[in-house]
Amino acid sequence: MARCHLHKFGGSSLADADCYRRVAHILLTHGNSDDLVVVSAAGKSTNFLYKLLELKDTGQLWQEELQVLISFQQNLIEQLLSNEQARSLRERLSIDKYQLISLFSLEALNKYKRNEVVSFGERWSARLLAALLRESGVAALDIDSRSLLLADEGGVPQIRLDESRARVQQALDDHANERLIITGFICANSRGETLLLGRNGSDYSATLIASLADIDRVTIWTDVEGVFNADPNKINDAKLLKSLSLDEANRLAHLGSPVLHNRSLQPLFDTQVSLAVRSSYASHTDFTLIAPKSSRASAPVVTNLSSVSLFSFRISTDVAHLTELLDGAGLMPLAHWKLAHDRVELAFTHENQQQVQSMLETDGLGISDLDLREDLGLVALVSADADLYRRGFARLLSRDARPLFKDGLSLVTLVPTSQVNLLTQKVHRRCAGPRKRIGVLLLGVGNIGEAWVDLFSRTRVALNKELEASVELVGLLSSKKALLKEEGIDLDSWKQDFEQQATPWLYEHMFEQLQALECDELIALDISASAELTLQYPEFFSRGIHVVSANKLAGSGPLAFYRELKLQLGNRRLFWRYNASCGAGLPVQHALNDLHNSGDSIEAIGGVFSGTLCWLFEKYDAKKPFSELVLEAKGLGITEPDPRDDLSGRDMQRKLLILAREIGHEIELDDIELNSLVPKELADIPLDQFLARIDELDHEMLQQFQAAAEQNKVLRYVAGLDVVDGQLKAAVGMEWVDTQHVYANLTPGDNVFVIRSAFYQDNPLIIRGAGAGREVTAAAVQSDLAQICRDLVQE
Ligand code: ASP
Ligand code: MG
């Protein structure tokens, strides 16, 4: 069985005896008997060891300082261990002391000897912690990582992965069921000489050993609770991030996050290891988890550096070559800009300044006019969705700021050092603060629902970006079941999730549940054909829920009901859009409103508002009976399940009513004359009987066709509304039209809307195209939804 967990404790977590006890407690309560542990030197021991070297180098006395360090260790031993173990550790410590004295007595210390001096800090911690754990009765062993990690020398040691992996695996096998306490920070070359992994290198040791040991989880126990979305020492309402993707963490580390070290993240790439950062002082609190892939977009993080080194120069050769060189030396700029006249700017941390400078001064790079500025600081935002925040961030930039540098994971600017804190606060408030959350409820999960989810998942990111808001699908409702998810429904698995997790619902409770959702606004998309649902619209509105309808039944309901709905909307910031209920995606209502807003007045509307009836009449040429065509259309799925719902003209009558009301005619459905194609005798009989007698439609149709043909006309089923002598005339029915007329020349399945107005008198405005179908209907719903969202954020 592979081991699961590696814990790493830094110097601040091991600063005194109480800290050690706390660490032992964490390992005993959070861990398993075979955990791996990586430790740093206690407190500031490493600094102390470096100081001893410096004293020796400068010919000063080091003996006294060495005794301070040894006493510190001795004290820890006395305070933490009982007699027998204490004695053994004391003995080993005095051996170490003499070894250090003999090292310092050498005339000159070479690099490896110096490293060996510094390595004692980690070795003492590992030894002490293992003893302390044994004291609690558990098996624990300290291991010197120089026996595990083999490296070649370079600017930083280059670990030989295969050999090191084999050694790590061997150690695991040799000590199954023991907690192994491993020194961080140190490794060895092939001659066994000591190499150091750089300051703060123990984090790197931890992730490296975890990847070699095939561990699932590394926890870095430190003195902060994790990664915050801004520096909590500077920003009052900075929030702890619960999750972060490895890419984001990596970028953040590169830009100077105080918690994460760039190099320590590298071993995690291409592994499944997740990394937790949490506080050893408050082990019960929340923490940050960095995973190879974070499933949901994390909140953005704002970070800053009070000052950076900005190199500015002209370059005559290829910049790519320079970047490669820098990259090769591990010197990736924090951000870079290309200015006019081949001028390039590269920002680096001060730490890297000297190395970069000497590189830029190398001959042959074609660099001239090199200039260095150190009076600028950096403010950056890191997020996998960084692009979403670009506009918001850019609006905050003063004239002194560098334009935003972006790389997909971050947005970076430089400003004079004195402005860094203020800009950080502003970016935090504007971009990392709460965004408006707009929850969408999908009522109806069939065919059109599917097309809409598809469209929504394709357009959501762009919409969120445009609006600087978060629009999420939070509910799916069929007539019987509902699935509500405050955090958002997964757009990839929504169908399955609905089938598996939806529960029965009742209107009474539903609204309570909807109101409990943590959303700033809710928008319901009614893509059902349910009359019962439209009866709930007043309830939706009174609870402040906006509605988008593809459902025609509310817009064409009884006038009193319709008026009540409009009254409810009144002057409130509440929206009801129903562009999809008429002509699907065709922008009919848009056009009518547009004309109205531009001072036009609409006089008449006519057209073919049914794709089914359009299809039937474009196809009918009397060569085969009309009823046969109807059955063919039914077979193709072009008609309603009961074709009489199309043939009755009801549907067109409702659409005409919606448009009539849209342009201000307050009428009832019955004010529109309806001439059904279904004879009375066939209207109310069961469907199967109707289908059996459907040929009764044929005789009348044939006669009409022939009579019309004699006058050079064709049959069309049309809707029309006009004001004649001050009287409104509205009707739906079959008409004879000229063969040249637009109605006579449609693509089967189209809708056409012909609008006559003051501005479009002799030559009316015509809108035509596919007027039904899942994609165009979904598009109409999405367009209404987007419009409402836009209206909502524009405050
Ligand atoms: N003890 C070493 C240092 O202080 C390594 C570490 O703490 O990560 O840099
Ligand atoms: Mg440290």
Side-chain angles (χ1 to χ4, degrees):
M1 261 284 283
R3 305 198 190 205
C4 303
H5 211 147
L6 184 149
H7 304 265
K8 184 262 165 177
F9 295 94
S12 62
S13 300
L14 300 168
D16 56 29
D18 280 342
C19 289
Y20 268 88
R21 286 194 196 97
R22 211 174 285 126
V23 166
H25 178 76
I26 289 174
L27 287 172
L28 295 174
T29 51
H30 281 72
N32 294 309
S33 60
D34 63 354
D35 280 346
L36 300 186
V37 179
V38 168
V39 288
S40 298
K44 298 257 173 268
S45 299
T46 309
N47 289 356
F48 225 101
L49 289 159
Y50 275 116
K51 188 164 161 223
L52 289 175
L53 284 171
E54 199 189 305
L55 290 174
K56 146 110 185 129
D57 288 345
T58 50
Q60 300 178 62
L61 291 179
W62 44 265
Q63 287 78 353
E64 214 168 292
E65 295 288 325
L66 174 62
Q67 192 47 49
V68 175
L69 189 62
I70 296 290
S71 302
F72 172 68
Q73 280 301 316
Q74 237 155 11
N75 262 328
L76 287 175
I77 293 172
E78 305 311 332
Q79 289 177 59
L80 292 168
L81 302 178
S82 61
N83 290 342
E84 200 167 318
Q85 289 221 74
R87 185 166 357 103
S88 139
L89 258 70
R90 252 193 324 263
E91 276 168 24
R92 292 172 69 183
L93 186 63
S94 63
I95 299 174
D96 293 343
K97 179 178 164 187
Y98 288 107
Q99 205 183 335
L100 277 166
I101 291 175
S102 64
L103 280 165
F104 284 125
S105 308
L106 292 171
E107 178 112 18
L109 289 175
N110 70 13
K111 177 168 94 183
Y112 307 112
K113 296 285 183 217
R114 297 174 74 89
N115 290 347
E116 201 179 323
V117 168
V118 181
S119 77
F120 276 99
E122 269 68 18
R123 286 152 65 194
W124 289 332
S125 313
R127 199 192 286 162
L128 182 55
L129 184 59
L132 180 59
L133 288 170
R134 285 195 298 269
E135 193 89 2
S136 314
V138 302
L141 179 75
D142 56 301
I143 294 192
D144 185 328
S145 56
R146 289 175 299 179
S147 68
L148 299 179
L149 302 177
L150 181 65
D152 293 318
E153 290 169 62
V156 283
Q158 301 295 312
I159 303 293
R160 291 194 199 168
L161 291 175
D162 292 339
E163 285 160 89
S164 302
R165 175 184 293 272
R167 291 178 181 197
V168 167
Q169 298 284 352
Q170 187 62 49
L172 299 185
D173 288 349
D174 291 348
H175 305 286
N177 266 316
E178 262 181 284
R179 285 180 167 85
L180 300 183
I181 320 299
I182 307 170
T183 58
F185 187 45
I186 56 179
C187 60
N189 65 16
S190 55
R191 294 186 302 276
E193 291 158 326
T194 307
L195 302 178
L196 301 180
L197 293 168
R199 294 311 307 261
N200 296 308
S202 299
D203 282 0
Y204 174 63
S205 309
T207 52
L208 177 67
I209 293 172
S211 72
L212 298 176
D214 300 320
I215 292 272
D216 297 335
R217 162 80 66 94
V218 178
T219 299
I220 293 193
W221 295 92
T222 176
D223 52 359
V224 294
E225 284 156 61
V227 183
F228 283 76
N229 70 349
D231 182 350
N233 297 319
K234 293 193 187 135
I235 306 277
N236 285 338
D237 56 346
K239 289 204 176 54
L240 182 72
L241 296 170
K242 296 215 177 117
S243 72
L244 203 64
S245 73
L246 185 56
D247 282 330
E248 289 166 315
N250 190 41
R251 183 65 182 141
L252 193 59
H254 180 228
L255 288 172
S257 152
V259 188
L260 302 164
H261 302 296
N262 213 19
R263 207 153 51 95
S264 60
L265 297 173
Q266 303 321 307
L268 302 179
F269 281 94
D270 301 320
T271 71
Q272 294 304 312
V273 185
S274 59
L275 173 70
V277 179
R278 61 194 298 183
S279 163
S280 62
Y281 291 84
S283 54
H284 51 280
T285 53
D286 280 340
F287 58 92
T288 305
L289 186 66
I290 298 165
K293 273 207 177 59
S294 125
S295 55
R296 284 172 60 79
S298 342
V301 189
V302 185
T303 188
N304 63 44
L305 291 171
S306 58
S307 103
V308 297
S309 306
L310 182 70
F311 291 95
S312 161
F313 50 88
R314 239 186 270 283
I315 182 161
S316 57
T317 57
D318 192 4
V319 187
H321 176 59
L322 173 64
T323 326
E324 252 170 55
L325 268 178
L326 289 165
D327 264 5
L331 298 169
M332 235 218 339
L334 299 163
H336 52 87
W337 288 267
K338 219 174 153 176
L339 311 177
H341 311 298
D342 297 330
R343 207 166 176 84
V344 176
E345 288 186 337
L346 303 179
F348 287 90
T349 54
H350 285 320
E351 234 183 344
N352 288 332
Q353 178 176 319
Q354 284 208 327
Q355 242 187 311
V356 174
Q357 177 135 18
S358 54
M359 256 185 130
L360 294 179
E361 284 166 353
T362 325
D363 289 340
L365 284 173
I367 287 176
S368 59
D369 213 356
L370 181 63
D371 180 43
L372 170 64
R373 282 182 71 174
E374 294 174 80
D375 57 341
L376 297 175
L378 169 149
V379 178
L381 176 146
V382 176
S383 159
D385 293 326
D387 244 13
L388 289 182
Y389 304 94
R390 194 176 49 80
R391 275 204 280 163
F393 194 157
R395 277 189 208 128
L396 303 172
L397 297 184
S398 67
R399 282 219 263 117
D400 308 328
R402 281 288 175 284
L404 281 185
F405 163 81
K406 55 175 192 144
D407 68 353
L409 275 173
S410 62
L411 304 168
V412 185
T413 186
L414 302 184
V415 289
T417 292
S418 61
Q419 296 177 17
V420 167
N421 283 346
L422 187 62
L423 181 61
T424 306
Q425 275 167 22
K426 284 188 184 165
V427 177
H428 172 74
R429 202 173 318 127
R430 169 139 204 155
C431 303
R435 321 194 103 205
K436 191 163 221 154
R437 247 181 84 85
I438 301 179
V440 182
L441 308 163
L442 182 64
L443 312 176
V445 291
N447 225 344
I448 296 173
E450 194 169 311
W452 175 79
V453 175
D454 210 43
L455 189 60
F456 181 61
S457 61
R458 277 185 279 131
T459 49
R460 198 172 69 99
V461 172
L463 184 68
N464 283 344
K465 183 170 161 185
E466 177 199 322
L467 303 179
E468 294 179 10
S470 152
V471 185
E472 296 266 6
L473 177 62
V474 294
L476 294 168
L477 292 90
S478 72
S479 56
K480 294 189 192 67
K481 292 201 300 175
L483 175 66
L484 298 182
K485 272 199 183 165
E486 186 159 285
E487 70 281 10
I489 288 168
D490 187 335
L491 297 178
D492 292 325
S493 62
W494 68 279
K495 250 182 146 174
Q496 257 165 285
D497 293 351
F498 183 73
E499 265 160 36
Q500 290 164 4
Q501 299 164 25
T503 49
W505 66 284
L506 294 169
Y507 282 114
E508 300 93 276
H509 308 300
M510 177 50 59
F511 285 104
E512 307 287 300
Q513 279 174 271
L514 291 183
Q515 222 146 29
L517 291 172
E518 281 273 337
C519 291
D520 300 309
E521 304 280 353
L522 276 178
I523 305 176
L525 311 181
D526 177 6
I527 53 168
S528 76
S530 157
E532 206 195 338
L533 186 56
T534 57
L535 291 179
Q536 301 297 325
Y537 280 22
E539 190 66 31
F540 279 109
F541 289 166
S542 70
R543 289 176 187 261
I545 302 175
H546 316 275
V547 177
V548 171
S549 315
N551 187 345
K552 285 181 276 291
L553 298 175
S556 65
L559 185 58
F561 179 69
Y562 178 83
R563 275 199 185 126
E564 189 197 316
L565 291 179
K566 288 282 180 177
L567 205 71
Q568 265 192 306
L569 297 173
N571 293 329
R572 291 173 62 194
R573 226 179 88 280
L574 194 57
F575 301 98
W576 177 29
R577 302 184 73 92
Y578 37 83
N579 199 40
S581 63
C582 202
L586 295 179
V588 189
Q589 285 103 316
H590 285 307
L592 295 176
N593 289 321
D594 231 40
L595 292 177
H596 178 76
N597 291 339
S598 60
D600 201 352
S601 68
I602 289 138
E603 296 167 359
I605 300 177
V608 178
F609 307 165
S610 153
T612 316
L613 291 170
C614 172
W615 191 91
L616 288 172
F617 285 94
E618 290 295 334
K619 294 264 177 187
Y620 182 57
D621 55 7
K623 290 198 180 112
K624 61 177 154 189
F626 186 72
S627 61
E628 227 173 82
L629 217 49
V630 175
L631 293 175
E632 190 184 325
K634 181 168 160 50
L636 290 172
I638 298 173
T639 69
E640 294 294 322
D642 184 340
R644 285 173 296 184
D645 292 339
D646 299 299
L647 298 172
S648 69
R650 244 316 163 217
D651 179 65
M652 266 171 74
Q653 186 192 28
R654 286 193 182 280
K655 287 175 182 159
L656 185 60
L657 178 62
I658 290 172
L659 296 183
R661 286 175 173 171
E662 194 70 8
I663 58 173
H665 299 294
E666 300 223 310
I667 57 173
E668 292 280 9
L669 192 59
D670 287 344
D671 294 330
I672 300 174
E673 189 186 316
L674 176 69
N675 300 297
S676 173
L677 292 173
V678 187
K680 273 207 183 61
E681 326 74 85
L682 299 183
D684 296 321
I685 58 177
L687 176 60
D688 53 343
Q689 287 178 31
F690 166 70
L691 292 176
R693 293 170 57 188
I694 192 167
D695 58 358
E696 290 176 32
L697 296 177
D698 295 337
H699 178 69
E700 166 75 7
M701 195 60 80
L702 181 64
Q703 280 213 323
Q704 291 266 355
F705 182 88
Q706 285 165 344
E710 271 169 31
Q711 294 184 22
N712 227 353
K713 296 198 172 190
V714 292
L715 303 180
R716 289 295 180 267
Y717 197 89
V718 302
L721 174 153
D722 203 349
V723 181
V724 184
D725 301 331
Q727 277 281 340
L728 180 75
K729 283 210 170 318
V732 171
M734 193 158 70
E735 275 182 17
W736 299 3
V737 302
D738 279 346
T739 51
Q740 301 308 311
H741 198 280
V742 274
Y743 295 168
N745 296 284
L746 296 172
T747 309
D750 265 4
N751 274 15
V752 65
F753 296 83
V754 178
I755 300 166
R756 199 185 73 229
S757 68
F759 296 167
Y760 293 88
Q761 249 321 309
D762 306 326
N763 208 358
L765 174 65
I766 297 176
I767 299 168
R768 80 174 256 199
R774 53 197 296 260
E775 266 76 30
V776 281
T777 308
V781 170
Q782 177 61 23
S783 136
D784 279 353
L785 170 67
Q787 189 53 53
I788 294 182
C789 293
R790 250 172 234 128
D791 290 340
L792 287 174
V793 295
Q794 244 170 34
E795 300 231 296

